[in-house]
Amino acid sequence: MAKKNKTKPTPKAEAQDKPATLRDLLRPDVLEQLKAQSDALKADEAKAKEEQRLRAEEAANAEKKRLENDFGHLLKNSSMDWRKHK
């Protein structure tokens, strides 16, 4: 049987070999300030979306209520089978 050649594992790249990121270059207080600003913007955006959803829901309810009081709309959308309502 032939002997297998064992290869030595190559050393992995150390942290010092990695390129510097923006997070590494910024001071911690500036980084915290940016995170806080990001969280505030996300909260404002979520609030705006919720308000828009509520306005759309209210408009749909108002339109439904208006159509329920419109005789022409009710006549068009009612069933013509009057035997059910005897």
Side-chain angles (χ1 to χ4, degrees), residues 11-21 24:
K12 300 229 178 210
E14 297 294 324
Q16 61 199 4
D17 294 340
K18 293 181 183 177
T21 62
D24 298 334

Side-chain angles (χ1 to χ4, degrees), residues 48-77:
K49 282 184 180 181
E50 181 66 20
E51 288 176 357
Q52 183 179 8
R53 185 189 66 80
L54 288 175
R55 280 195 306 265
E57 187 176 313
E58 289 174 0
N61 287 340
E63 181 68 14
K64 182 179 176 183
K65 188 172 184 177
R66 185 189 67 79
L67 289 175
E68 286 176 353
N69 291 330
D70 185 17
F71 184 74
H73 174 76
L74 291 174
L75 187 61
K76 286 180 186 176
N77 293 330

Side-chain angles (χ1 to χ4, degrees), residues 7-53:
T7 58
K8 295 181 180 179
T10 57
K12 300 229 178 210
E14 297 294 324
Q16 61 199 4
D17 294 340
K18 293 181 183 177
T21 62
L22 184 59
R23 172 178 265 167
D24 298 334
L25 297 175
L26 287 176
R27 294 187 316 238
D29 59 332
V30 173
L31 190 60
E32 290 299 322
Q33 183 183 10
L34 288 173
K35 284 183 183 179
Q37 186 178 10
S38 173
D39 292 341
L41 288 174
K42 286 179 184 177
D44 289 344
E45 183 178 343
K47 184 179 176 184
K49 282 184 180 181
E50 181 66 20
E51 288 176 357
Q52 183 179 8
R53 185 189 66 80

